[in-house]
Amino acid sequence: IVMTQSPLSLPVTPGEPASISCRSSQSLLHTNRYNYLDWYLQKPGQSPQLLIFLGFNRASGVPGRFSGSGSGTNFTLKISRVEAEDVGVYYCMQTLQTLYTFGQGTKLEIK
Amino acid sequence: QVQLVQSGAEVKRPGASVKVSCKASGYTFAGYYIHWVRQAPGQGLEWMGRIHPTSVDTNYAQNFQGRVTMTRDTSITTAYMELSGLRFDDSAVYYCARASEGLDFWGQGTLVTVSS
């Protein structure tokens, strides 16, 4: 499954919202009605960290300004109000097929 | 607390093999897959494969089939990733991660440099 993110670069003013799109070449909707799509953030110089799993569930400790939505082949990660600490590269990853695949990444920077 | 601690940086010649370890603690090692992900310099994340600590079920990405071997030693709660036939473009940071609901805990990464 090929994952395609857009945009690849996202300059955002602090306090403003941000949105990242992720599209999959095949539906990620399982028969159990869950979408097998996760979101990760890799801050500069750090290991990736889990933000969202199964499409919309926030991982433990993830601030409420992060939300995931979408179904099938189209997904969105939204940040309601960007903060300086949100800079880094955001990745979506499909987990429907056993051989997982990541999107190319979206680099969020502060204007 | 859950921790994944990886082995240190490696420098290898082209054609050699490298074996990276991932020591797990703070949870029941047997209950969760360990995944391996790599990141070449300035590039994105690339999923390599996964291993289940007890069933020894393994799945490898097509890009690494025939070159990667994932193993584990449950007695010391450690997972291993061995990559053979190293090429210059295998230079990367290699991460292990625990799979729960998502890859929820990650190791600190191991830098592997392939250089002649």
Side-chain angles (χ1 to χ4, degrees), chain B residues 29-35 50-59 70-72 74 99:
Chain B
F29 181 66
Y32 302 83
Y33 277 91
I34 292 288
H35 291 238
R50 68 176 188 176
I51 181 169
H52 193 280
T54 52
S55 72
V56 205
D57 176 41
T58 54
N59 303 98
M70 295 178 187
T71 57
R72 88 289 180 258
T74 55

Side-chain angles (χ1 to χ4, degrees), chain A residues 38 40 42 46-50 53 91 93 98-104, chain B residues 35 37 39 43-45 47 50 59-60 95 101-104 106-108:
Chain A
D38 300 337
Y40 296 85
Q42 187 175 31
Q46 296 186 17
S47 300
Q49 59 187 85
L50 176 67
F53 62 93
Y91 297 91
M93 182 181 80
T98 303
L99 305 186
Y100 295 1
T101 43
F102 286 97
Q104 321 97 297
Chain B
H35 291 238
V37 174
Q39 185 171 40
Q43 302 301 307
L45 302 175
W47 186 83
R50 68 176 188 176
N59 303 98
Y60 302 137
Y95 295 100
E101 291 173 317
L103 301 181
D104 60 348
W106 292 66
Q108 82 277 20

